[in-house]
Amino acid sequence: MNFEDFIISPRNFKTENWQIGHRITKELKEDSIVLLFVSDYRGANGDAEVQDFTAIRKEFYKLSQLDFEIPVVDLGDLVSGKSVEDSHYILQEVLSACHYKRAIPVIIGGSNDFAFSLFSALHFHQKNISYTQLSNIISLKQGESISEHTFLSKILGSKNFQIKNYHHLGYQKHLNEADSVKLIKEVEFDILRLAEMMNSTEKTEPFFRKADLVTVNCDAIESFSESFSMNPQVNGLNRREICAYMKEIGLSENLKSVGIFNYNIYSENQLNHQLLAQMIWYLIEGINIQHSHPKERSYEMFYVLVEDRQYAFKRDTFSNLWYFGDDDNIENCIPCSRRDFDEAKKGWLSPRFTKA
């Protein structure tokens, strides 16, 4: 596939040997992390004109490369299609090329509806996808055209898609229709409010651990001085919290695709550019740490009695992460936290463990 027809190659930056920009290449490689920037915001009532991501790249390229081993590729900027659907088609072709090379594409910019393309492209290569979305909005509106309001219903309601798990994190009650929240709960998908994500990643880490696809809506991050996202909010995850969560995303054992959408590309605030650059950096750090973990694991088994019934928990002796279930195959056990285990010992078992 010739990317040159619809991708603008990034400019070169002068960097020092210790900086991550020194190791970044422009050619798609196997088993790499691939960055691609998108300018199409029509799904969020914006425009599709080519935007300049230079300021973000400058902030990102000058960060440390530490001891990262996984190659990082910056493909460049995606040229928007004549229609939103054209942009989705082009992006899916690029994403598919990444999946063929076992690369992890990280899509930066564009409106939140491009999560549909990430899901669709991955679904072509893998069925039964575990999808975690970090977003302050749950919109399940129906419609012919694809937008940030309709893409989720197109994913969850499609007969062609097979979804194993869907986790929605960071929603804010005052911004959402009660019916949308109720429907997500009725179909027994996991949903967590912003308040449950603040100050610590412990409670929400299990929802990232086995995710194949994770998308982040920048509207879920609080804005400061100047709008960080296309739909800025005074409440949301703060700067330190979102970087911690980006690292947790990278630590996913099954991660195959990431999207960071609705960033305010029109911002001229250097602090906004720094935050986005550091979000990308912490994601890459998490991926590298996960890559260094041993593949073979051993587990300790613990049994808890709740209302005269026995339940099993497992602890990974290497990572100290917890699972619910006694199946010999850890993939059939449910990721959980130490707190879930401690609550079970007190007689309270999370409903998500018994809903199957």
Side-chain angles (χ1 to χ4, degrees), residues 80-114:
S80 302
K82 289 184 178 181
S83 67
V84 174
E85 288 74 18
D86 290 338
S87 292
H88 277 271
Y89 174 79
I90 295 168
L91 179 57
Q92 288 176 38
E93 290 295 307
V94 177
L95 290 166
S96 187
C98 292
H99 294 316
Y100 274 118
K101 290 185 175 292
R102 300 182 307 279
I104 300 175
V106 180
I107 309 306
I108 304 146
S111 46
N112 204 37
D113 53 286
F114 281 103

Side-chain angles (χ1 to χ4, degrees), residues 204-226:
T204 45
E205 179 279 329
F207 301 114
F208 294 112
R209 195 184 309 168
K210 295 292 185 181
D212 301 294
L213 167 65
V214 181
T215 63
V216 177
N217 181 354
C218 288
D219 297 341
I221 302 165
E222 65 179 16
S223 287
F224 50 94
S225 69
E226 186 181 346

